[in-house]
Amino acid sequence: TDNHPKSNKKTHGQVKFDSIGDYSINIMVVFYADTSDYWESKTIREEINYGISEILEKNQVELAQPNTSVYTV
């Protein structure tokens, strides 16, 4: 998060292993953006999420995909 040009450099971002759910491992990412514009903050969040996805892909981390099975009788 600290590499994003709009992240607040005074308050470093935090990434924490938050909890284990029934079907998930929950990671919490906290950062502060240098903007008061709601839509710009959503764009910054999206860019940081894409950055996280790129890091996972680079390290060959595969995430489980949710699925649903429908059976007809």
Side-chain angles (χ1 to χ4, degrees):
T1 63
D2 293 341
N3 292 335
H4 194 281
K6 286 282 195 165
S7 69
N8 187 304
K9 303 306 181 227
K10 295 177 186 173
T11 56
H12 295 288
Q14 299 282 321
V15 178
K16 301 292 181 186
F17 180 2
D18 191 43
S19 62
I20 297 175
D22 290 338
Y23 302 99
S24 64
I25 295 175
N26 302 317
I27 307 295
M28 178 174 54
V29 179
V30 178
F31 66 94
Y32 295 93
D34 285 333
T35 185
S36 60
D37 180 87
Y38 176 78
W39 290 110
E40 184 178 18
S41 72
K42 297 297 273 184
T43 299
I44 294 166
R45 174 190 272 181
E46 179 181 52
E47 291 168 351
I48 288 175
N49 284 339
Y50 280 131
I52 292 168
S53 294
E54 289 174 8
I55 291 168
L56 295 173
E57 185 176 313
K58 178 181 174 183
N59 289 283
Q60 300 176 341
V61 175
E62 294 183 16
L63 301 177
Q65 300 295 319
N67 62 47
T68 302
S69 297
V70 178
Y71 300 96
T72 58
V73 179

